[in-house]
Amino acid sequence: AQTVTQSQPEMSVQEAETVTLSCTYDTSESDYYLFWYKQPPSRQMILVIRQEAYKQQNATENRFSVNFQKAAKSFSLKISDSQLGDAAMYFCAYKGSGGSNYKLTFGKGTLLTVNP
Amino acid sequence: NAGVMQNPRHLVRRRGQEARLRCSPMKGHSHVYWYRQLPEEGLKFMVYLQKENIIDESGMPKERFSAEFPKEGPSILRIQQVVRGDSAAYFCASSAARAGRGTEAFFGQGTRLTVV
């Protein structure tokens, strides 16, 4: 079974600075998808960024980028120029490519605080 | 196009009562997924339904929990004889097709169930 591990329960960053959130995963599949979701206090799950395992290029969405290291099974999220609105719980998630490829497996999350 | 709508947002039940959680998928979506988020945990898959059919209920507790997605109306997650351990946030997601390669599901804001 796939597992997703987020080793940082909490992180903090100063406004306008850069922060990196860590995620590692375990899988025997070669084709899969990885995601970062943001959950603000409203509880809405917001997709921040996704990465397809067969693409070597790291995904980027504005201030958000990932460092995908397939061999190390590592998928970290970098937030540049942090803003107060980035404060939230961040979840790393995995989706396989087999018969249950509709299921997301989530890590336990990292609570990000942005200090003004 | 309204997003995935879940109601109620908050639900309080006494031990032994029944809880009914509703999910109206996005317009045009016929695939629904339920996830549960226990305190301090990530979301965990419970069940996948397509109109009038349960596709995968491997994440559902064997007793007291049931789900349906009728031809007309919202998807319902039903918990009978609730216990304190059922206290959690329950999220629904929907997609236009099976949420596999190239198709993502969109999440609702969740229902927070508190059992007292």
Side-chain angles (χ1 to χ4, degrees):
Chain A
Q2 291 81 18
T3 58
V4 176
T5 302
Q6 293 179 249
S7 59
Q8 306 154 316
E10 298 183 26
M11 291 283 284
S12 63
V13 63
Q14 290 296 126
E15 198 175 1
E17 297 291 303
T18 294
V19 65
T20 298
L21 307 184
S22 301
C23 173
T24 58
Y25 58 94
D26 188 27
T27 183
S28 57
E29 296 181 302
S30 58
D31 189 19
Y32 48 86
Y33 297 83
L34 296 163
F35 306 84
W36 279 98
Y37 280 87
K38 172 185 177 182
Q39 187 182 46
S42 67
R43 281 208 315 268
Q44 180 73 53
M45 291 292 286
I46 301 165
L47 178 61
V48 174
I49 199 165
R50 62 176 261 169
Q51 175 78 43
E52 297 167 61
Y54 64 88
K55 289 188 177 178
Q56 292 187 347
Q57 187 172 7
N58 288 323
T60 299
E61 289 287 342
N62 301 313
R63 298 182 295 106
F64 299 86
S65 61
V66 298
N67 183 5
F68 173 47
Q69 301 288 328
K70 191 172 183 180
K73 294 180 182 172
S74 170
F75 182 61
S76 60
L77 175 69
K78 185 171 85 171
I79 307 174
S80 304
D81 185 27
S82 297
Q83 300 176 0
L84 294 177
D86 295 334
M89 185 72 91
Y90 286 81
F91 291 98
C92 179
Y94 170 101
K95 184 168 75 170
S97 57
S100 299
N101 63 352
Y102 44 82
K103 284 184 195 179
L104 287 162
T105 300
F106 288 86
K108 290 190 175 184
T110 296
L111 180 62
L112 177 66
T113 303
V114 180
N115 301 310
Chain B
N1 190 5
V4 179
M5 303 300 292
Q6 290 189 248
N7 67 82
R9 288 292 316 276
H10 303 274
L11 181 62
V12 179
R13 283 289 176 265
R14 295 187 184 278
R15 280 178 293 170
Q17 289 185 318
E18 179 180 285
R20 290 170 72 87
L21 288 61
R22 295 174 183 76
C23 169
S24 296
M26 288 179 68
K27 188 176 179 180
H29 286 192
S30 59
H31 299 251
V32 164
Y33 317 83
W34 285 93
Y35 287 79
R36 178 165 68 173
Q37 184 180 25
L38 293 169
E40 314 296 325
E41 298 282 329
L43 280 69
K44 285 189 165 48
F45 171 83
M46 297 181 76
V47 62
Y48 164 32
L49 308 105
Q50 196 180 352
K51 281 285 186 180
E52 299 185 275
N53 290 301
I54 297 174
I55 308 300
D56 180 355
E57 55 182 350
S58 60
M60 288 270 277
K62 294 288 184 263
E63 297 179 353
R64 301 188 297 108
F65 284 72
S66 62
E68 63 176 13
F69 189 17
K71 187 176 180 181
E72 301 291 337
S75 175
I76 305 288
L77 180 67
R78 183 180 176 209
I79 312 172
Q80 295 178 291
Q81 299 173 340
V82 296
V83 301
R84 288 232 169 96
D86 297 332
S87 295
Y90 291 83
F91 287 87
C92 168
S94 75
S95 61
R98 175 180 161 128
R101 177 180 287 278
T103 300
E104 301 305 336
F106 296 86
F107 282 88
Q109 286 190 284
T111 293
R112 180 172 295 284
L113 172 66
T114 302
V115 179
V116 297

